């Protein structure tokens, strides 16, 4: 086998070549195995077109893979929920059961399930490939629903995401509304998408799309993998949301959960045919020790058929632009990465890798990009396994991006453990730029994880209870002033150092107060904290508008630079005793003064010679600043013969305490280097 490029990128990986080459060859062999009877992986990943309930010319056909079953019948409205001979499935070989029905036997909107018999028992089950599952509001029981409406007519064709850079707005349909309750696809389309477009983000990452029985799981305990959650509306309404997003130039990324499944047997895949090992490991590996959920057996071709087809289904049926794969660390290792430090390369290749899961993820990435070459795949992964976001041909797993999960952890640790005067720019810059240069990351200050009950958002850590009393415009509370200033600086320095993309969770752009808490017994089943208070940012008498204005401005700035994320980051200045940091990307210079008390007049930074103009200042009154930076002044660098060979000169600036600014080099100096 030709030497993989991953070793050229990182020679320190060569001692682990047997493991890395092995995973690469495993994926090649498995693809060959899966495509013996078809041409491509895309041809293989069509289980959703074969299994499940389908309207065909002249009638209906239903199929289910249930190798442990001894008998299966469809039951539902059409049979008074009783088993009848005409709705009994027949074995079709290889564990597949099949039923054909005349067109008049079933109607759109009717509810149904399978009654499955197995050795020693029986139970009612929802089909694995059900594409519509609904909950009875009186009994709370979930059932599959026959869904055969007029085909949705797409208005936006051939949408291509803008990933230069990728600016993601993470969101949840149900909690996106202002009122206490569950929001809908239609409400999100009509009320929230225009906000996101106005904010300048070019992608949304939607959580909780796959059907899940418990609303408070945030969508991470999936029961029905092919069914968009009906609590938000119909499949056609979801398609309309995606269609509208595309018309606004916004890509739609789905938060897909293939790392585990809900244990529920009446709603999910658990013991679907009486066996614990149909879709999941049958031994101790079958249950996730931390998540109280079931773990897929990625070594089974039938499971790969199910999961790969699931990827293709969401891409083609709903035109999602890609996926953020949840829980990838849990998939990569037999121990799910729990309690492991991952302090050296040896920790990644100590025999604890789940080679079946790694093979699946590799094939999933290949399939997704074969189906849609413009698709986006993101790995939620915290161990740092090398090659995760490297091309498959180079020895990687094929993800386009990996989540930079260490960055939010760093900001939380800094806010919790360090006084302002102990913040060191050297540490901040290192943390934000410490990554594998050959893998793109999604940088972020906070996602939904940092906003859950038991944690705090950045703004709440900064301001806490003072948010309730001192957010009025004109209120000069010192705690609020500090919080607003640092919130802007933290977000800009994180965005300014991206090498792939940037993510913001819904509402955090304007410092949404408090936490997220879904209705549960412990809070009296309240929706008070499972919503977004958009009126806070809309009100002109509150300071939330200033954070939103700044977020808009910084997003507009970087999105106006083609391939901003690919520009080299050149550190110009860092001085921990002053708490000043400056770096350059393209013709933009980013300057941060983290000092809580010292403002500097005429502070010198070595920068490329020329004339600079301020294009963004956190001290602007529109952003809640004090207007001490004169943004109309042009700054001409000052010559210093000592630095003449470098082409650098002194850029002298006024740096207010706790502020940041961005300057654009408009004209280079005519001076020649010596």
């Amino acid at each position: 086998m030709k030497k993989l490029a991953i070793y050229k990128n990182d020679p320190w990986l060569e001692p682990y070549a047997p493991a890395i080459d092995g995973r690469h060859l495993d994926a090649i062999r498995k693809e060959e195995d899966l495509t013996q009877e078809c041409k491509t992986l895309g041809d293989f990943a069509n289980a959703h077109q074969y299994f499940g309930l389908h309207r065909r010319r002249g009638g209906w056909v239903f199929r289910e893979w249930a190798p442990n079953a001894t008998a299966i019948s469809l039951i539902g409205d059409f049979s008074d929920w009783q088993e009848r001979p005409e709705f009994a499935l027949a074995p079709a070989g290889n564990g597949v059961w099949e039923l054909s029905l005349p067109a008049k036997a079933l109607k759109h909107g009717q509810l149904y399930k399978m009654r499955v018999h197995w050795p020693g028992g029986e139970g009612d089950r929802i089909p694995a490939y059900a594409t519509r599952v609904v909950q009875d509001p009186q009994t709370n029981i979930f059932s599959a629903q026959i869904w055969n409406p007029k085909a949705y007519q797409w208005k936006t064709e051939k949408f291509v995401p803008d990933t230069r850079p990728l600016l993601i707005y993470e969101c949840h349909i149900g909690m996106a509304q202002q009122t206490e309750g569950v929001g809908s696809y239609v409400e999100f389309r009509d009320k929230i998408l225009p906000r996101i477009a106005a904010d300048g983000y070019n992608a949304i990452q939607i959580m909780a799309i796959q059907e899940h029985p418990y609303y408070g799981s945030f969508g991470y305990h999936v029961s029905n993998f092919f069914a968009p959650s009906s609590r938000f509306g119909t499949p056609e309404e979801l398609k309309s949301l995606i269609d509208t997003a595309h018309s606004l130039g916004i890509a739609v990324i789905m938060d897909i959960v293939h790392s585990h499944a809900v244990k529920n047997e009446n709603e999910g895949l658990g013991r679907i045919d009486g066996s614990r090992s149909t879709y999941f490991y049958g031994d101790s590996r079958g249950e996730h020790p931390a998540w109280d959920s079931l773990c897929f057996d990625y070594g089974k071709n039938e499971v790969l058929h199910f999961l790969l087809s699931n990827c293709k289904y969401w891409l083609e049926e709903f035109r999602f632009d890609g996926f953020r794969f949840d829980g990838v660390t849990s998939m990569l290792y037999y121990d799910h990465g729990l309690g492991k430090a991952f302090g050296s390369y040896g920790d990644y290749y100590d025999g604890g890798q789940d080679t079946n899961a790694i093979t699946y993820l590799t094939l999933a990435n290949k399939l997704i990009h074969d189906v849609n070459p413009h698709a986006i795949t993101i790995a939620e992964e915290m161990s740092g396994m090398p090659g995760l976001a490297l091309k498959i041909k180079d020895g990687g797993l094929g993800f386009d991006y990996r989540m930079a999960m260490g960055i939010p952890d760093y900001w939380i640790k800094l806010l919790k453990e360090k006084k302002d005067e102990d913040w060191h720019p050297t540490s901040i810059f290192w943390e934000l730029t410490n990554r594998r240069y050959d893998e793109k990351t999604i940088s972020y200050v906070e996602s939904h994880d940092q906003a859950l009950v038991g944690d705090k958002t950045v703004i709440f850590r900064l301001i806490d209870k003072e948010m309730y009393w001192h957010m009025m415009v004109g209120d000069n509370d010192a705690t609020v002033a500090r919080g607003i200033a640092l919130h802007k600086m933290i977000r800009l320095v994180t965005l300014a150092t991206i090498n792939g993309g940037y993510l913001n969770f819904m509402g955090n752009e304007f410092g949404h107060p408090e936490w997220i808490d879904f209705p549960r017994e412990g809070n009296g089943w309240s929706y008070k904290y499972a919503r977004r208070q958009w009126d806070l940012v809309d009100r002109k008498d509150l300071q939330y508008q200033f954070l939103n204005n700044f977020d808009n401005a910084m997003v507009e700035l970087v999105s106006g630079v083609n391939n901003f994320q690919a520009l080299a980051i050149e550190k110009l200045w860092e001085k921990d005793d002053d708490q000043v940091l400056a770096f350059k990307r393209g013709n933009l210079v980013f300057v941060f003064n983290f000092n809580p008390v010292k403002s500097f007049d005429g502070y010198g930074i070595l920068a490329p010679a020329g004339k600079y103009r301020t294009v963004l200042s956190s001290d602007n009154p529109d952003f809640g600043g004090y207007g001490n930076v004169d943004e109309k002044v042009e700054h001409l660098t000052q010559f210093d013969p000592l630095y003449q060979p470098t082409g650098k000169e002194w850029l002298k600036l006024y740096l207010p305490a706790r502020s940041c600014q961005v300057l654009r080099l408009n004209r280079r100096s005519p001076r020649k280097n010596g």
Side-chain angles (χ1 to χ4, degrees):
M1 184 178 75
K2 183 181 177 182
K3 189 174 181 179
L4 298 170
I6 192 171
Y7 306 118
K8 181 180 179 181
N9 297 343
D10 187 353
W12 292 98
L13 287 172
E14 292 194 9
Y16 308 100
I20 296 171
D21 289 349
R23 75 185 186 192
H24 183 72
L25 292 172
D26 282 345
I28 293 174
R29 285 191 289 263
K30 179 55 70 174
E31 183 178 2
E32 292 172 349
D33 178 32
L34 298 178
T35 57
Q36 288 183 68
E37 298 179 6
C38 52
K39 292 181 180 180
T40 67
L41 204 58
D43 295 330
F44 170 77
N46 284 324
H48 55 293
Q49 297 177 9
Y50 180 77
F51 292 109
L53 181 64
H54 298 279
R55 183 75 163 85
R56 301 293 188 223
R57 182 177 297 176
W60 300 85
V61 63
F62 175 76
R63 299 186 187 93
E64 186 77 17
W65 177 62
N68 192 54
T70 56
I72 302 177
S73 289
L74 277 191
I75 60 172
D77 297 339
F78 43 82
S79 69
D80 295 324
W81 295 96
Q82 301 299 315
E83 291 184 272
R84 293 182 178 174
E86 62 267 33
F87 295 109
L89 278 70
N94 298 316
V96 177
W97 295 77
E98 187 176 71
L99 170 67
S100 294
L101 292 166
K104 64 181 180 180
L106 304 174
K107 295 180 181 178
H108 173 74
Q110 289 180 319
L111 303 179
Y112 72 101
K113 288 186 179 183
M114 304 183 298
R115 182 156 295 161
V116 185
H117 298 260
W118 55 79
E122 65 177 70
D124 292 351
R125 298 290 188 262
I126 294 176
Y129 290 83
T131 57
R132 171 79 170 163
V133 176
V134 296
Q135 185 177 24
D136 185 288
Q138 276 73 47
T139 65
N140 291 326
I141 293 173
F142 284 85
S143 302
Q145 186 176 37
I146 297 168
W147 202 250
N148 187 41
K150 183 179 179 181
Y152 179 80
Q153 298 299 309
W154 293 88
K155 300 175 183 64
T156 308
E157 296 288 347
K158 297 181 180 178
F159 176 78
V160 178
D162 182 3
T163 58
R164 304 169 299 170
L166 181 62
L167 302 167
I168 302 172
Y169 197 88
E170 185 186 31
C171 49
H172 183 284
I173 301 297
M175 61 171 288
Q177 81 298 333
Q178 173 87 30
T179 56
E180 294 186 29
V182 179
S184 69
Y185 297 125
V186 171
E187 287 176 312
F188 191 94
R189 179 196 67 197
D190 294 344
K191 296 180 180 180
I192 311 305
L193 276 178
R195 287 183 180 272
I196 297 168
D199 285 342
Y201 290 85
N202 57 24
I204 55 174
Q205 181 177 298
I206 312 182
M207 309 169 64
I209 290 296
Q210 295 167 296
E211 191 60 86
H212 47 290
Y214 178 45
Y215 187 47
S217 75
F218 240 138
Y220 291 123
H221 276 198
V222 173
S223 52
N224 314 106
F225 286 78
F226 287 84
S229 182
S230 61
R231 59 171 54 86
F232 308 136
T234 68
E236 287 65 45
E237 288 166 346
L238 173 58
K239 290 176 182 178
S240 178
L241 185 163
I242 295 169
D243 202 5
T244 302
H246 288 168
S247 72
L248 294 170
I250 298 172
V252 186
I253 300 166
M254 176 175 161
D255 206 342
I256 199 167
V257 184
H258 284 178
S259 48
H260 63 135
V262 73
K263 278 186 174 179
N264 303 35
E265 295 175 4
N266 293 330
E267 292 89 9
L269 297 173
R271 296 181 71 238
I272 194 167
D273 61 357
S275 171
R276 297 185 184 279
S277 60
T278 302
Y279 283 94
F280 310 104
Y281 288 114
D283 54 21
S284 59
R285 293 180 296 167
E287 294 195 20
H288 198 292
W291 296 346
D292 191 34
S293 55
L294 300 175
C295 299
F296 285 105
D297 182 352
Y298 303 103
K300 276 189 175 180
N301 284 0
E302 293 86 353
V303 174
L304 295 182
H305 201 199
F306 178 83
L307 295 174
L308 290 171
S309 299
N310 193 236
C311 294
K312 185 178 180 182
Y313 167 77
W314 292 109
L315 287 173
E316 292 191 337
E317 182 67 23
F318 289 88
R319 302 195 183 182
F320 278 97
D321 299 295
F323 305 101
R324 179 261 202 187
F325 278 75
D326 179 69
V328 170
T329 303
S330 177
M331 299 172 70
L332 294 177
Y333 308 99
Y334 292 124
D335 61 7
H336 306 293
L338 299 172
K340 203 167 184 178
F342 296 104
S344 68
Y345 279 2
D347 291 338
Y348 303 117
Y349 310 108
D350 58 2
Q353 294 174 291
D354 188 335
T355 54
N356 290 335
I358 291 171
T359 295
Y360 164 65
L361 289 169
T362 305
L363 294 180
N365 275 297
K366 185 177 190 303
L367 168 74
I368 290 164
H369 292 104
D370 284 348
V371 172
N372 180 1
H374 303 291
I376 299 160
T377 59
I378 304 167
E380 189 234 12
E381 205 283 318
M382 52 73 60
S383 78
M385 177 182 278
L388 195 72
L390 194 65
K391 292 183 183 299
I392 296 170
K393 67 179 180 63
D394 294 332
L397 273 65
F399 284 98
D400 296 305
Y401 306 89
R402 65 191 312 156
M403 300 292 290
M405 299 183 72
I407 292 177
D409 291 345
Y410 173 81
W411 286 122
I412 290 170
K413 185 178 176 66
L414 191 65
L415 289 166
K416 287 172 64 175
E417 300 179 4
K418 298 280 188 181
K419 295 183 294 184
D420 292 16
E421 54 266 35
D422 294 330
W423 287 27
H424 292 155
T426 52
S427 171
I428 292 170
F429 186 80
W430 186 88
E431 184 63 43
L432 295 177
T433 58
N434 177 33
R435 56 208 171 201
R436 302 183 65 80
Y437 82 92
D438 56 350
E439 298 189 43
K440 293 184 291 186
T441 60
I442 302 295
S443 299
Y444 59 109
V445 176
E446 51 191 342
S447 68
H448 71 274
D449 285 329
Q450 286 71 42
L452 295 169
V453 163
D455 207 338
K456 291 182 179 181
T457 58
V458 167
I459 197 67
F460 215 59
R461 288 187 183 280
L462 288 166
I463 303 179
D464 209 78
K465 65 181 184 301
E466 304 305 324
M467 291 189 76
Y468 301 127
W469 313 108
H470 298 289
M471 288 298 287
M472 297 293 291
V473 172
D475 188 327
N476 296 318
D477 180 82
T479 299
V480 171
R482 169 185 178 265
I484 288 177
L486 289 178
H487 195 267
K488 292 181 289 186
M489 296 183 72
I490 288 169
R491 298 176 91 77
L492 179 61
V493 74
T494 303
L495 172 59
T497 49
I498 61 171
N499 78 328
Y502 174 78
L503 178 140
N504 163 66
F505 179 66
M506 178 174 62
N508 288 348
E509 70 277 6
F510 65 84
H512 195 284
E514 299 172 329
W515 50 80
I516 299 165
D517 189 12
F518 281 93
R520 55 188 173 85
E521 188 175 1
N523 66 15
W525 302 103
S526 170
Y527 287 88
K528 180 179 179 181
Y529 298 108
R531 62 191 181 106
R532 298 283 90 177
Q533 299 179 57
W534 302 108
D535 62 323
L536 296 177
V537 70
D538 292 339
R539 285 176 55 178
K540 298 306 179 186
D541 59 338
L542 295 177
Q543 297 188 68
Y544 296 99
Q545 62 178 305
F546 299 143
L547 295 178
N548 194 70
N549 292 343
F550 184 77
D551 196 85
N552 289 178
M554 71 176 194
V555 166
E556 182 181 16
L557 178 67
V558 301
S559 59
V561 179
N562 187 45
N563 275 320
F564 174 84
Q565 79 290 345
L567 297 174
I569 302 175
E570 180 186 354
K571 187 194 302 178
L572 300 178
W573 193 265
E574 59 179 2
K575 205 166 189 293
D576 282 347
D577 51 351
D578 291 338
Q579 296 183 272
V580 173
L581 169 69
F583 55 87
K584 172 181 171 291
R585 297 197 82 166
N587 64 351
L588 296 177
V589 171
F590 297 82
V591 186
F592 299 83
N593 178 16
F594 289 98
N595 200 300
V597 293
K598 290 184 180 179
S599 297
F600 301 100
D601 191 13
Y603 195 94
I605 293 164
L606 283 169
K611 184 181 290 186
Y612 291 81
R613 180 178 288 277
T614 303
V615 292
L616 181 65
S617 168
S618 68
D619 193 55
N620 190 302
D622 289 342
F623 310 138
Y626 302 99
N628 291 321
V629 173
D630 188 345
E631 298 177 41
K632 296 179 181 178
V633 172
E634 285 191 327
H635 302 273
L636 186 63
T637 55
Q638 298 178 19
F639 177 71
D640 186 335
L642 185 63
Y643 296 99
Q644 186 176 8
T646 68
K648 302 281 180 65
E649 295 183 350
W650 291 107
L651 176 60
K652 298 291 186 75
L653 302 170
Y654 176 62
L655 306 180
R658 285 200 190 113
S659 73
C660 52
Q661 52 191 288
V662 186
L663 300 100
R664 177 176 283 123
L665 176 59
N666 291 331
R667 180 174 62 81
R668 290 191 174 276
S669 171
R671 298 189 187 98
K672 301 292 185 181
N673 289 343

